[in-house]
Amino acid sequence: MFKSVSIGLLLLGLGISVPVTAQTNGNSYLQEANQLTPQDEQAIRQVIARLNHALDAEDYSLYGSFFADDGVFVSGFGDAVGPGNVAKALEQVRPFISNRRHSASNLVISGDSEQAIVTSYLIVFERVSSLEYVGSAVNVDTLEKRDGV
């Protein structure tokens, strides 16, 4: 399994802009080499999906558990390092992220057996009163494999 070591995002609908942690140089990330095995790529897709499901379930401890001890969560509300601090940061912004449905799509994955960079689109919907569009984001996640995990 891959652990997330940094997440950068741009929340368009919420008016929050955060520099991404990976260098994208325009569209050059689309041409980056992908030397991942199908198993590693599937594991990465599962991490991204589980992160979004944890947000939707408002299980911020579970969300934080996907981060390495030195993993950094970058957001418009500040950076958080490590699982516990990521969970605390999400708890502080609960009013902005609860009762939402987070859907990642168009994942572009590049990397090798030790590190991968995933650029994806995140679409956010209101989920209590309707499925109203709330906003979108471009996420850039850096994931690392450590000790085979």
Side-chain angles (χ1 to χ4, degrees):
M1 174 190 268
F2 282 77
K3 285 277 191 178
S4 186
V5 292
S6 65
I7 294 182
L9 50 101
L10 174 65
L11 294 173
L12 302 174
L14 301 177
I16 300 168
S17 178
V18 180
V20 295
T21 56
Q23 293 182 356
T24 57
N25 298 326
N27 293 331
S28 64
Y29 72 96
L30 295 171
Q31 300 170 2
E32 293 292 325
N34 183 0
Q35 301 170 353
L36 294 159
T37 66
Q39 295 82 7
D40 282 345
E41 193 168 320
Q42 182 59 27
I44 290 166
R45 289 179 185 281
Q46 282 294 307
V47 168
I48 301 299
R50 290 172 190 272
L51 283 166
N52 288 312
H53 278 261
L55 277 181
D56 293 346
E58 298 180 32
D59 190 338
Y60 306 139
S61 293
L62 176 60
Y63 188 98
S65 74
F66 286 95
F67 284 77
D69 290 339
D70 60 346
V72 180
F73 178 78
V74 178
S75 79
F77 303 101
D79 297 356
V81 179
N85 289 326
V86 169
K88 287 178 190 174
L90 291 173
E91 190 61 53
Q92 291 177 348
V93 297
R94 179 184 287 270
F96 299 103
I97 60 176
S98 62
N99 296 318
R100 306 278 193 253
R101 185 74 67 222
H102 299 81
S103 179
S105 66
N106 293 355
L107 279 67
V108 175
I109 303 171
S110 59
D112 55 34
S113 62
E114 298 303 316
Q115 185 181 63
I117 296 176
V118 182
T119 302
S120 63
Y121 299 151
L122 180 68
I123 300 170
V124 183
F125 296 95
E126 167 68 38
R127 68 179 166 115
V128 174
S129 60
S130 68
L131 284 178
E132 179 181 329
Y133 171 80
V134 174
S136 65
V138 175
N139 286 352
V140 178
D141 303 322
T142 302
L143 294 90
E144 288 184 0
K145 188 182 280 188
R146 296 185 180 181
D147 299 324
V149 177

